[in-house]
Amino acid sequence: MTKHLFVTGGVVSSLGKGLTAASVALLLERRGYRVKLQKLDPYLNVDPGTMSPYQHGEVYVTVDGAETDLDLGHYERFTGVDCTRGSNFTTGRIYSDVITREREGGYLGKTVQVIPHITDAIKAAIRSMDGDDVDFVITEIGGTAGDIESLPFLEAIRQLRQEIGRTNGLFLHVTLVPYIAAAGEMKTKPSQQSVGILRSIGIIPDILICRCERPLEQEHKDKLALFCNVERQMVIEEQDVANSIYEVPLALADQDLDVYILELLQLHVGRLDLRDWRAMVDRLVNPKFGTVEVAVVGKYISLQDAYKSIYESLTHAGGSNDVKVRVRQIESEEVERVGAEALLAGVDGILVPGGFGDRGIEGKIAAVRYARENGIPFFGICLGMQCAVMDFGRQVCGLDSANSSEFNEKTPHPVIHMMASQRNVYRKGGTMRLGSYPCRLEAGTEAAACYGATEISERHRHRYEFNNAYRQQMEAKGLVISGLSPDGELVEVVEYPAHPWFVACQFHPEFQSTPMRSHPLFRGFVAAAVKRRDLVKSNKNEGA
C-alpha cells in the first residue's frame, strides 16, 4: 500500500510547510523510495490562475497545464519529479466537483453535506496519487490549524489515517517556537495550543517540526514532547538556515527525520547519500568566482514570492557558474518615473520577466532598450520577450508606437497580438495556452548553444504571441527567430546577434530549473553576465 504523510501547520502561516514537505521527499527519494507530493489549498478559487500575484505569489504551471500553488515549484526543484493537475486541489475545485456531480444526479437524491460528501471528495483527491509506482504520497494542508477554511481538509485526513492505519500514514505538524526578545526566552506555548487544536478534532501529530530562530534547548524539547504527546526524539528542530533553502534537507537529515518516518511506518532504512547535494549547497554558499549583479525589472517586485521561480533559477545558474547572483529588484513603474539609467547603471545583466496588464509596461520596454543599447546581457521571459519585440519594432525597425494589442487595441503596429485560438475565449480561469509544448531551435543560434540541442519542450502561460506579419521586417533588421513551434507558426525564441547576449523566449524556463540541473538559458545568461562583469573590470583596470 502507498504510504501517506500529512503535513499540517500551526501558529502562523508562511512557516515553510512546502519546503519541509519537499525536503522530506528528497530524503525519502535518496533512501530509495518513489515519492509524489500534493498541496491542498483551503481558498475558494478553483485555482490561483485568476488571482493577483500580490495575493498569492507566482502561479506555478505544471507539465500538463495546471495553474497551481507556488509550493509545487519547491516540490519539483527538490525532487526532480514533475507535478501534475492532481498535485494541487483547492476548496473551490473540490466543491465545484461535488456540486457538478449533484447537478448530474450523482448522489441519488441524498442531502449533500460536508461530511461525508466533501470529505470523501478530499480523500479521493489524496488517494488519486496512489499507485503501484508510488511508495509515498506527501500531502501538505494549506493554511493554519484553527482556520475555518481548513477544517474539512483536516477532518478528511483524520478519517483517511483511520482508514489506512497507523503503519500506512503519519501526521507531521510544522509549528513555530518564537523567541521573545524582551523576555530573552523561547516560548513553546503557541505550539502546545496549536497541537491542542488538532487534538480537539482527533489528530495527534506523530512528529513535531519546530521552526525557530535559535536552537531549541533540551528543556524546550522535553516540554513540547510532554504537552504535545509526541515522543522526545520526534521533536525535530527546523532552525532558520543561514544561507540557502537547500540547506533544509541537510539539517533534517542530521536529525534522522527520515529514519524516524521509515521506522514508524515499518519500512527498510536504506543508505542515504547526499554528497552531491552537499556539494551543490557548498557551491551556492561558497562560490569560487565572486558575485554578479542581475537586475530583475518586474511589475510585482514588492512581493518576493511573485517571482519565486525566477529568483531560484538565477540562484541555480549562479551555482552552475560558481558565482553568487545578487539580484537588484526594480519596479518597472519606477523605471518610468526616474529613467532606466538611474536604476540600472552598473548591473551585469538585465532580466525582464512575465506579467499581465499595461501597468509598468513602458518601464519594462525602457529596461530592454537600455540593455540593448549598452551591450548588457538581456534575458526576456514571456511578457519580457514581447517587450523586447516592441522595443525592437520601435527603435530598430522604425515602427512608431509599435505595441501589443493587449495594451492598445488601436496601435498601428500590433507587433504582439492575441493568438487565434484565444480570440473567442471569454472565460478567464485555465483558458490560456498552458503547459508543456515542443519547440524547434535553429542550429547555430545562442539558444541552441545553451541547450546543446535543437528539439526542446518548455512550459507556457500566455494568450498573446509575436505577430508573424512583422517577422520578415524584423529579421531584415537583424532580429533572429531562433525558436519556433513545430508547425513554424509560433515564435518561441528571439535573439539579437549584434548584441553580446540578447535572448528572449515566450515560454517560462524558470519552471524547469533545479539546483542540481540549472536551466540552460539561465545558465547561459549568468555566464554572459560574468563575462560582462570581467570585461568592465578589465577596462577599468586598463584605464587606471
Side-chain angles (χ1 to χ4, degrees):
M1 179 182 289
T2 300
K3 309 289 185 178
H4 287 267
L5 303 180
F6 305 106
V7 180
T8 58
V11 184
V12 295
S13 59
S14 301
L15 275 181
K17 297 191 301 296
L19 283 173
T20 301
S23 297
V24 170
L26 169 68
L27 297 180
L28 292 173
E29 275 192 339
R30 293 304 182 94
R31 294 280 185 186
Y33 291 95
R34 298 162 298 177
V35 184
K36 287 188 177 181
L37 296 105
Q38 122 186 120
K39 173 80 178 286
L40 304 183
D41 278 304
Y43 51 77
L44 282 169
N45 304 67
V46 172
D47 60 46
T50 60
M51 294 168 67
S52 164
Y54 291 122
Q55 288 281 313
H56 185 269
E58 76 173 4
V59 173
Y60 192 82
V61 179
T62 60
V63 289
D64 59 348
E67 294 176 298
T68 67
D69 184 83
L70 61 84
D71 274 330
L72 273 66
H74 292 313
Y75 301 166
E76 292 197 0
R77 286 188 283 270
F78 277 66
T79 68
V81 176
D82 287 339
C83 292
T84 64
R85 191 172 303 277
S87 303
N88 193 201
F89 286 84
T90 68
T91 295
R93 183 174 169 189
I94 294 291
Y95 273 76
S96 178
D97 290 348
V98 169
I99 291 170
T100 297
R101 185 180 175 193
E102 184 274 331
R103 293 288 82 188
E104 294 172 347
Y107 294 103
L108 301 176
K110 295 178 182 176
T111 301
V112 180
Q113 298 175 293
V114 172
I115 302 173
H117 302 103
I118 296 299
T119 51
D120 282 351
I122 295 170
K123 288 187 290 183
I126 296 171
R127 297 304 295 270
S128 70
M129 304 290 283
D130 289 5
D132 293 337
D133 60 340
V134 184
D135 299 312
F136 278 95
V137 172
I138 302 177
T139 301
E140 174 193 350
I141 309 299
T144 305
D147 294 345
I148 293 174
E149 297 91 342
S150 298
L151 287 175
F153 293 100
L154 295 176
E155 171 61 19
I157 63 173
R158 183 198 68 78
Q159 293 179 17
L160 185 54
R161 158 68 177 267
Q162 186 176 21
E163 292 167 9
I164 63 179
R166 291 184 177 274
T167 59
N168 290 313
L170 293 179
F171 295 121
L172 282 65
H173 188 56
V174 183
T175 184
L176 177 68
V177 181
Y179 175 77
I180 309 301
E185 292 181 312
M186 297 180 74
K187 295 295 185 181
T188 64
K189 188 64 70 177
S191 294
Q192 295 175 40
Q193 293 176 334
S194 174
V195 171
I197 292 171
L198 288 178
R199 290 166 64 182
S200 70
I201 60 174
I203 294 175
I204 300 177
D206 299 286
I207 298 175
L208 206 60
I209 300 175
C210 303
R211 286 298 312 277
C212 49
E213 297 177 35
R214 303 185 178 204
L216 295 177
E217 301 291 342
Q218 185 67 40
E219 63 174 297
H220 300 130
K221 295 182 179 180
D222 290 342
K223 188 179 292 186
L224 287 165
L226 177 64
F227 292 108
C228 296
N229 200 32
V230 298
E231 296 181 27
R232 164 65 184 74
Q233 67 269 29
M234 302 302 174
V235 178
I236 304 295
E237 176 182 297
E238 193 175 66
Q239 190 179 350
D240 295 349
V241 291
N243 300 294
S244 169
I245 60 172
Y246 302 110
E247 296 177 85
V248 173
L250 300 178
L252 297 179
D254 289 342
Q255 298 174 76
D256 289 330
L257 172 60
D258 54 321
V259 175
Y260 295 139
I261 289 172
L262 293 172
E263 289 179 344
L264 286 171
L265 296 176
Q266 300 177 8
L267 293 172
H268 173 67
V269 180
R271 179 171 173 266
L272 179 65
D273 186 355
L274 292 172
R275 285 175 296 181
D276 59 341
W277 193 270
R278 291 184 188 277
M280 175 272 293
V281 171
D282 185 61
R283 285 196 306 273
L284 295 182
V285 175
N286 303 299
K288 293 180 181 177
F289 303 121
T291 301
V292 293
E293 186 174 25
V294 169
V296 174
V297 184
K299 295 159 58 77
Y300 318 109
I301 291 294
S302 61
L303 183 68
Q304 182 75 12
D305 282 347
Y307 298 113
K308 188 66 176 176
S309 292
I310 294 285
Y311 299 143
E312 290 303 314
S313 297
L314 288 170
T315 297
H316 306 159
S320 294
N321 285 281
D322 235 324
V323 297
K324 180 179 179 60
V325 177
R326 181 171 63 244
V327 176
R328 187 187 297 185
Q329 298 175 321
I330 297 175
E331 286 279 359
S332 57
E333 285 181 289
E334 189 67 12
V335 177
E336 295 174 357
R337 284 191 287 269
V338 304
E341 185 171 4
L343 296 170
L344 295 170
V347 299
D348 304 307
I350 295 172
L351 188 154
V352 176
F356 297 90
D358 62 356
R359 180 181 60 82
I361 286 298
E362 292 303 321
K364 286 193 170 195
I365 296 172
V368 176
R369 181 179 180 183
Y370 183 82
R372 180 178 52 78
E373 293 181 344
N374 291 278
I376 301 170
F378 169 77
F379 189 15
I381 295 175
C382 196
L383 179 58
M385 186 202 90
Q386 296 174 5
C387 288
V389 172
M390 285 183 263
D391 167 68
F392 197 85
R394 294 177 188 181
Q395 305 301 328
V396 181
C397 297
L399 303 173
D400 292 340
S401 303
N403 211 325
S404 167
S405 59
E406 178 184 4
F407 312 132
N408 181 1
E409 293 182 355
K410 297 181 180 179
T411 177
H413 297 295
V415 293
I416 303 295
H417 67 166
M418 183 174 281
M419 304 179 72
S421 60
Q422 292 286 319
R423 289 172 190 165
N424 295 317
V425 175
Y426 300 103
R427 296 184 65 183
K428 297 297 184 183
T431 57
M432 284 185 276
R433 187 172 188 261
L434 294 164
S436 288
Y437 289 88
C439 171
R440 292 178 180 171
L441 301 178
E442 188 71 26
T445 60
E446 192 70 61
C450 287
Y451 281 96
T454 55
E455 301 284 335
I456 63 170
S457 179
E458 293 283 358
R459 303 183 198 181
H460 296 68
R461 185 175 185 247
H462 64 110
R463 296 185 194 278
Y464 290 80
E465 65 175 338
F466 185 106
N467 187 342
N468 286 322
Y470 293 90
R471 187 191 294 189
Q472 186 175 355
Q473 186 174 358
M474 290 195 177
E475 286 180 317
K477 289 292 186 178
L479 191 72
V480 170
I481 309 300
S482 59
L484 290 166
S485 57
D487 62 5
E489 290 300 310
L490 174 64
V491 173
E492 295 272 25
V493 188
V494 299
E495 302 179 11
Y496 189 41
H499 187 279
W501 203 93
F502 191 103
V503 178
C505 55
Q506 183 59 68
F507 47 77
H508 287 270
E510 69 271 24
F511 294 148
Q512 297 198 144
S513 185
T514 76
M516 300 298 291
R517 189 181 66 254
S518 64
H519 192 280
L521 292 182
F522 278 91
R523 190 164 59 244
F525 171 60
V526 171
V530 172
K531 188 175 180 180
R532 161 83 180 185
R533 178 202 66 182
D534 294 344
L535 178 62
V536 170
K537 189 181 297 183
S538 175
N539 290 340
K540 285 183 179 179
N541 291 338
E542 289 178 6

